[in-house]
């Protein structure tokens, strides 16, 4: 159909008797199109005195488009904003808040931004692969600056639109160069993983991960499912601070996971969204990725600075592909650029400069580590206080110690959907319906209230 539109000027109605102003745009052959479209539901017949015309009525061509459901994580923040109750608590999104429950801009970020203003840097386009200084420090932060894969140019690093955009770019790469290959996701995983691979047209399935009986890792199930996956599958692993469960494999278990992935010629695909947030140490939290890299495995890593530098809205992260040769890495990078170009052309510069200034400067880097320890430490404190409050208040004898064994920003409470609904409807505690709460959004002052809400929901709602 030609792109001709016919619309009534504001205020005029197709059924009004007043003389409507009719505005045409697009092709001049309007009469022909009107004849063709007269039977369309968008058109009706209008009589204006001597002439009868077909005009557009107020029926949208988007009539058949259904309303999308709210996002299971980001939609929680929207619902929270709409709640006027003063006791309300947003434990939905994984975003760090201060003890006063306010968003936090890191001091090192403010310092880096001041530097950027002083330098009066321009806003020219970045190259497709992003800011070179950013890509360098980012790969070094993840693998370690002295890692042979970095030294030998075996890592293709491309700046991405944070963790999500980097995963999506990898999805596009897998779809193009590994057609039919499957991605295996942990059950459960961050909810958006499924959306990302669905939209990338990459088939996925799940491997067992969480065991509700032990509130721990179903390690045997995980190994057996990875073994059973078709050879050459992509195995998506959370580098640290597994979302939503807060349960990570031990170093010995990581070795066994690497064994079976190697045996089956699978490709590890790490999602590292919380480096520094699991243990408070950037190096310790990168140990899973480094363990696999040290075995000479080719792998993917999507990285995010949303949490550890608090750069949520800057959309800054990276995709790293480790290859067995520098030559392969160069070719992979060229194809990642080719995929990125029609999707978003080139990435934004502001967050990349902040990261390059902080991670690339020894003084700011050390200050960052201190601030991250503070953030990780505050979360550990509320985790402990929540456990203490639950243990003191709950007289049923239930063991809440699993909360202390979980790490990172979240606690996977084991509350089911009805119980999670009760948390929100009765107690104004906003959380995802899988029973996950973000401890990064909790203060010491609110732990007792939260414990009351959890105990009520757990024991009084089935
Ligand atoms: N990967 C994992 C495992 C994540 O938890 C998140 C964020 C991301 C990637 C993507 O983060 P970027 O901001 O794109 O770098 N998950 C948070 C944030 C809210 C969301 O769902 O995007 C969460 O609350 O689960």
């Amino acid at each position: 159909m030609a792109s001709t539109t016919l619309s009534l000027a504001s205020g005029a109605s197709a059924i009004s008797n007043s003389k409507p102003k009719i505005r045409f745009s697009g092709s001049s052959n309007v009469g022909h199109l009107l004849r063709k479209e007269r039977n369309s539901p968008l058109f009706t017949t209008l009589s204006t005195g001597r002439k009868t015309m077909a005009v557009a009525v107020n029926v949208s061509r988007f009539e058949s488009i259904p309303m999308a459901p709210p996002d299971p994580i980001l939609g929680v923040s929207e619902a929270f904003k709409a709640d006027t109750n003063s006791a309300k608590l947003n434990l939905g999104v994984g975003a760090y808040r201060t003890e006063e429950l306010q968003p936090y801009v890191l001091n090192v970020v403010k310092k880096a931004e001041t530097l950027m203003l002083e330098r009066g840097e321009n806003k020219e386009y970045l190259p497709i692969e992003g800011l070179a200084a950013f890509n360098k420090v980012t790969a070094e932060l993840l693998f370690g600056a002295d890692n042979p894969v970095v030294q030998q140019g075996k890592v293709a690093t491309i700046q991405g639109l944070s963790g999500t955009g980097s995963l999506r770019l990898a999805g596009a790469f897998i779809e193009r160069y590994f057609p039919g290959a499957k991605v295996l996701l942990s059950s459960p995983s961050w909810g958006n993983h499924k959306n990302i691979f669905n939209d990338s047209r990459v088939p996925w399935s799940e491997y067992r991960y969480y065991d509700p009986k032990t509130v721990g890792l179903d390690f045997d199930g995980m190994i057996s499912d990875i073994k059973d996956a078709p050879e050459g599958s992509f195995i998506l692993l959370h580098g640290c601070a597994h979302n939503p469960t807060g349960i990570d494999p031990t170093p010995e278990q990581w070795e066994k996971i690497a064994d079976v992935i190697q045996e089956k010629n699978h490709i590890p695909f790490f999602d590292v969204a919380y480096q520094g947030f699991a243990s408070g140490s950037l190096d310790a939290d990168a140990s899973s990725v480094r363990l696999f890299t040290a075995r000479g495995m080719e792998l993917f890593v999507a990285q995010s600075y949303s949490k550890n530098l608090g750069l949520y809205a800057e959309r800054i992260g990276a995709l790293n592909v480790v290859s067995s040769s520098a030559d392969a890495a160069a070719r992979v990078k060229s194809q990642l650029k080719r995929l990125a170009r029609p999707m978003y052309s080139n990435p934004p510069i502001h967050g990349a400069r902040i990261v390059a200034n902080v991670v690339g400067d020894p003084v700011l880097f050390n200050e960052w580590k201190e601030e991250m320890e503070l953030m990780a430490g505050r979360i550990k404190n509320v985790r402990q206080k929540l456990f203490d409050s639950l243990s003191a208040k709950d007289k049923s004898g239930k063991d809440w110690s699993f909360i202390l064994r979980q790490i990172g920003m979240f606690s996977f409470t084991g509350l089911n959907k009805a119980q999670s609904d009760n948390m929100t409807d009765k107690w104004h505690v906003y959380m995802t319906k899988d029973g996950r709460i973000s401890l990064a959004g909790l203060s010491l002052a609110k732990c007792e209230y939260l414990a009351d809400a959890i105990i009520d929901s757990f024991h009084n709602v089935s």
Side-chain angles (χ1 to χ4, degrees), residues 70-82:
D71 184 81
I73 299 178
L74 298 183
V76 174
S77 297
E78 289 169 32
F80 172 79
K81 270 187 205 142

Side-chain angles (χ1 to χ4, degrees), residues 303-458:
Q303 250 175 304
S304 166
Y305 286 100
S306 290
K307 326 280 171 155
N308 55 13
L309 257 175
L311 294 177
Y312 307 92
E314 295 297 350
R315 312 310 297 144
I316 181 67
L319 176 65
N320 304 269
V321 183
V322 177
S323 305
S324 52
S325 73
D327 179 58
R331 282 181 280 111
V332 167
K333 189 168 184 173
S334 74
Q335 293 298 342
L336 291 173
K337 287 164 64 175
R338 194 182 188 187
L339 285 162
R341 172 68 169 140
M343 279 206 269
Y344 56 82
S345 190
N346 46 73
I349 199 163
H350 192 79
R353 278 198 181 126
I354 295 172
V355 174
N357 281 329
V358 173
V359 184
D361 177 272
V363 176
L364 287 184
F365 184 61
N366 280 331
E367 280 184 46
W368 176 37
K369 287 202 281 194
E370 283 167 23
E371 274 191 285
M372 202 157 31
E373 275 167 31
L374 276 177
M375 291 193 289
R378 198 190 83 70
I379 297 173
K380 279 185 192 150
N381 289 344
V382 290
R383 192 182 280 288
Q384 181 68 49
K385 174 93 191 274
L386 177 62
F387 165 75
D388 293 344
S389 308
L390 283 166
S391 306
K393 285 169 179 279
D394 186 7
K395 306 295 179 207
S396 74
K398 180 177 163 58
D399 179 7
W400 294 96
S401 63
F402 66 88
I403 290 178
L404 296 180
R405 290 194 296 277
Q406 298 169 342
I407 54 169
M409 277 192 164
F410 302 109
S411 178
F412 206 47
T413 60
L415 294 176
N416 62 28
K417 185 178 175 303
Q419 293 164 336
S420 303
D421 281 340
N422 185 64
M423 295 283 286
T424 306
D425 300 344
K426 180 168 168 189
W427 294 88
H428 305 272
V429 174
Y430 288 79
M431 58 188 285
T432 53
K433 299 298 172 205
D434 57 0
R436 184 190 86 168
I437 52 174
S438 168
L439 297 180
L442 179 64
S443 61
L444 288 171
K446 295 273 190 180
C447 282
E448 302 243 329
Y449 178 81
L450 180 62
D452 287 335
I454 292 175
I455 291 166
D456 173 56
S457 305
F458 185 79

Side-chain angles (χ1 to χ4, degrees), residues 73-120:
I73 299 178
L74 298 183
V76 174
S77 297
E78 289 169 32
F80 172 79
K81 270 187 205 142
D83 188 335
T84 52
N85 191 294
S86 60
K88 68 178 180 174
L89 199 50
N90 187 4
L91 309 183
V93 68
Y96 183 81
R97 296 283 179 273
T98 62
E99 184 58 29
E100 293 71 42
L101 299 184
Q102 293 306 308
Y104 180 57
V105 180
L106 275 75
N107 290 326
V108 285
V109 167
K110 288 182 191 155
K111 286 185 186 177
E113 287 181 322
T114 307
L115 268 176
M116 286 154 62
L117 266 181
E118 282 167 6
R119 288 180 191 151

